[in-house]
Amino acid sequence: MSVYFTKEHEWVKIKEGIASVGITEYAAHQLGDVTFVELPQVGKTVKQFQVLCAIESVKAASDIYSPVSGTVTKVNEALEDRPEIVNEAAEDAGWMAWIEMSDPSEVKALMDRAAYDEYLRSLA
């Protein structure tokens, strides 16, 4: 499984052409307590770096951008009743959607973990 990150603090884990997407621990910490996740519709077609869904917290409402292009095949319905899962496990159980990728080469525009960690240091 390959893992990549965006400058907007989304992560994407890719396995066999399917990308699971969520926000990073850093983003979840910055948002504070997550109160609502507006999940995308299954079947929605998304383009890389366009809005995938939205998230709301006690501090802010934010758009979540898709790290890759493709079609949403599954959403994390558990977040509808328990949005706090994003705070508890942002980079695991807090995933938001699975996307069947339409262009695997798009990962070249993303960062690996080392590059993302370096990016975070530049924000400090």
Side-chain angles (χ1 to χ4, degrees):
M1 183 180 327
S2 303
V3 183
Y4 300 95
F5 300 88
T6 70
K7 288 188 174 183
E8 288 75 34
H9 310 290
E10 291 93 14
W11 57 261
V12 58
K13 296 178 184 175
I14 301 168
K15 184 176 180 182
E16 298 174 7
I18 302 294
S20 69
V21 176
I23 63 169
T24 64
E25 298 284 348
Y26 175 85
H29 180 75
Q30 293 296 110
L31 281 169
D33 293 336
V34 173
T35 56
F36 180 73
V37 179
E38 181 186 329
L39 296 168
Q41 293 282 69
V42 171
K44 176 181 180 175
T45 301
V46 293
K47 296 281 185 212
Q48 187 177 40
F49 305 132
Q50 289 186 345
V51 175
L52 172 67
C53 58
I55 191 167
E56 294 177 17
S57 72
V58 292
K59 292 183 183 177
S62 300
D63 287 331
I64 306 300
Y65 300 94
S66 184
V68 296
S69 298
T71 303
V72 175
T73 59
K74 187 175 180 179
V75 296
N76 189 350
E77 294 176 359
L79 298 180
E80 291 176 352
D81 295 324
R82 295 198 55 239
E84 65 273 13
I85 294 170
V86 174
N87 295 112
E88 296 163 4
E91 294 183 30
D92 188 27
W95 64 274
M96 293 168 189
W98 285 8
I99 298 170
E100 187 174 338
M101 296 172 61
S102 59
D103 184 357
S105 71
E106 287 179 338
V107 298
K108 293 175 186 163
L110 304 174
M111 295 177 279
D112 62 14
R113 172 67 75 177
Y116 180 69
D117 287 346
E118 183 66 28
Y119 175 67
L120 289 180
R121 282 191 286 280
S122 78
L123 300 178

